[in-house]
Amino acid sequence: MQYIVLYSSRTGNTKKIAEAIGSVLPAATPCLPVGEAPVDLNAYDCVFAGFWVDRGSADPEAQQLLRQLEHPRVALFATLGADPKSQHAADSLSNAAALRPGGQPLVHSFICQGKVDPELIEQMKKMFPAGHPHAVDEKREALHKEASKHPDEADLAAAKAFAAETVKRLENLG
Ligand SMILES: Cc1cc2nc3c(=O)[nH]c(=O)nc-3n(C[C@H](O)[C@H](O)[C@H](O)COP(=O)(O)O)c2cc1C
C-alpha cells in the first residue's frame, strides 16, 4: 500500500500531527503541505488530508484541496482550539468531509486540540464585546489555556494510533 500525507498548517499544530502520522507509515511516504501536493494522487491507495479548523470547517488552503479530492480513500485529520469532543469538532470534520466532490465515506478521521495563535486571541478581545458569542470570557480563557498545551504527547500518540487503524481498515477493504 502507498500513502500520502497532505496538510495545511498556519502555526505548526497540524504539521506536528501530520508528521506523527507519517512516522508510522512506510518510510517513503510523502508528508507535504497541501500547496506541494502532486496533481495526480491516483498512485496512492489512501490520502491522509489534514487541516486546521477555521470557522467550523477546513481552512481555505485545505478547502482548495478537498474540493478537488475525488480520491475514494481519504482519512481526514484536523486540529482546533475548541474541545475535540465537542459538537463543534464533529461538525468541523463533517463540514470538511462534505467539501469533497465524491462524497464517499471517510476511511477514518481524527481531531485534536491545538494552541490558538495569541495574536488571534488579542484580536478577539478587541473585536468582541462582553456578551458576544465570541467574547473572550472566563470560559474561553480556560479553553485557550487548555489549548495552549496541545498537541501534546498524548495527541501525537493518538494520531499514530489513528494512522495505524486507518492502515488496518484499508487492508481489510482489500
Ligand atoms: C482565523 C482562525 C479561525 C479559527 N477558527 C476556529 C474555529 O472555528 N474553531 C476552533 O475550535 N478553532 C478555531 N481556530 C483555532 C485553530 O483551528 C487551532 O489553533 C489550530 O490548531 C491551528 O492549527 P495550525 O497550528 O496547524 O495552524 C481558528 C484559528 C484562526 C487563526
Side-chain angles (χ1 to χ4, degrees), residues 8-15 52-56 79-82 88 114-117 120:
S8 174
S9 185
R10 192 174 150 268
T11 58
N13 300 328
T14 316
K15 183 177 185 202
W52 56 274
V53 171
D54 182 355
R55 288 157 293 169
T79 68
L80 85 171
H88 176 62
K115 59 186 82 56
V116 180
D117 184 350
L120 177 71

Side-chain angles (χ1 to χ4, degrees), residues 7-172:
Y7 63 89
S8 174
S9 185
R10 192 174 150 268
T11 58
N13 300 328
T14 316
K15 183 177 185 202
K16 275 189 197 157
I17 297 298
E19 287 169 352
I21 289 168
S23 76
V24 296
L25 296 173
T29 303
C31 181
L32 301 169
V34 290
E36 293 172 28
V39 177
D40 185 7
L41 293 169
N42 288 322
Y44 302 98
D45 297 291
C46 179
V47 179
F48 287 81
F51 62 91
W52 56 274
V53 171
D54 182 355
R55 288 157 293 169
S57 186
D59 67 87
E61 262 195 283
Q63 283 210 17
Q64 221 177 336
L65 171 80
L66 291 168
R67 287 184 194 284
Q68 301 168 19
L69 192 55
E70 293 191 51
H71 201 288
R73 291 181 179 172
V74 175
L76 210 53
F77 63 97
T79 68
L80 85 171
D83 180 350
K85 294 193 189 79
S86 63
Q87 190 59 44
H88 176 62
D91 290 346
S92 300
L93 274 176
S94 52
N95 289 339
L99 296 169
R100 293 166 309 141
Q104 295 94 338
L106 295 171
V107 180
H108 202 3
S109 63
F110 172 81
I111 193 161
C112 75
Q113 220 169 359
K115 59 186 82 56
V116 180
D117 184 350
E119 256 180 53
L120 177 71
I121 299 174
E122 284 313 307
Q123 277 175 18
M124 287 171 78
K125 282 183 184 164
K126 284 185 197 143
M127 269 165 71
F128 304 120
H132 187 282
H134 296 316
V136 183
D137 54 13
E138 253 177 55
K139 206 172 144 203
R140 198 168 286 271
E141 292 266 23
L143 187 82
H144 289 156
K145 195 172 167 202
E146 180 57 34
S148 71
K149 302 174 200 155
H150 296 268
D152 61 12
E153 286 305 317
D155 296 321
L156 299 181
K160 290 178 191 179
F162 151 75
E165 171 62 21
T166 302
V167 167
K168 214 186 276 178
R169 290 185 187 186
L170 289 162
E171 284 167 356
N172 288 339

